[in-house]
Amino acid sequence: MAEKREKAGFICVKDTLDGGYPALVLGINAARQGMESKIFYSFMGLNLVMEGGAERAKYIPPGLMGAVPGMSTIATGMMKKKIEKANIPSLADLQEMAQIEGVELIACKMTVDMMEIDEDKLIEGAVVWTAEDFLTYARKCSVCLFT
């Protein structure tokens, strides 16, 4: 009898660097461990699976520093330099790697409808699921995390 493949699900609701990287890194590593892996993008996280969205992701410092005009631009530049220096792929490259490794990138149907997004504007390979679709999958997951 064939062994049943474990499942992993991740939920991403932020369109920032610190919102996008964790779900992708965990999703890729789950796939590399032989798990079926899916990332569900909802609310602002949906921007990451829009064409060009990963390239536009910023880093917004927490607290008052994030509220200072221009600070997110400076912080994003600094963070991207640290990412490059550490030889970590860009968010867009990591998304592509995830898809190559079999991680499915899923857009939330409610958010797509609410934001009046044309599904043709999603990156190639992204699919649209309802919350019920994701919950049906998540109920069978041995790992399901809100990143």
Side-chain angles (χ1 to χ4, degrees):
M1 184 157 82
E3 188 175 318
K4 199 170 186 184
R5 193 168 165 207
E6 283 187 290
K7 297 177 187 302
F10 305 96
I11 301 168
C12 178
V13 296
K14 290 172 55 181
D15 63 352
T16 57
L17 294 175
D18 56 320
Y21 271 99
L24 285 165
V25 170
L26 291 168
I28 289 168
N29 279 278
R32 287 179 179 171
Q33 290 185 10
M35 301 176 84
E36 183 179 333
S37 182
K38 300 185 188 301
I39 303 172
F40 187 72
Y41 291 89
S42 187
F43 285 87
M44 298 313 294
L46 185 68
N47 288 326
L48 295 177
V49 289
M50 301 285 296
E51 290 176 354
E55 291 87 350
R56 289 188 298 271
K58 294 184 181 254
Y59 175 71
I60 302 169
L64 291 175
M65 289 304 290
V68 175
M71 187 52 72
S72 68
T73 301
I74 293 167
T76 298
M78 289 172 53
M79 190 62 71
K80 285 186 175 183
K81 283 180 186 168
K82 286 181 176 285
I83 289 166
E84 187 177 326
K85 185 178 178 185
N87 290 318
I88 297 169
S90 71
L91 209 50
D93 288 345
L94 209 57
Q95 278 183 330
E96 186 177 340
M97 287 171 56
Q99 288 180 310
I100 289 167
E101 300 240 10
V103 178
E104 191 166 21
L105 308 181
I106 303 166
C108 171
K109 174 78 168 131
M110 182 191 74
T111 306
V112 167
D113 290 348
M114 178 179 67
M115 303 302 255
E116 300 178 345
I117 292 169
D118 180 354
E119 291 182 24
D120 291 339
K121 300 293 184 198
L122 297 174
I123 62 172
E124 188 175 334
V127 297
V128 178
W129 279 15
T130 65
E132 182 180 2
D133 294 332
F134 183 76
L135 283 170
T136 299
Y137 174 78
R139 289 180 70 182
K140 298 172 188 153
C141 288
S142 50
V143 175
C144 193
L145 300 172
F146 190 92
T147 63

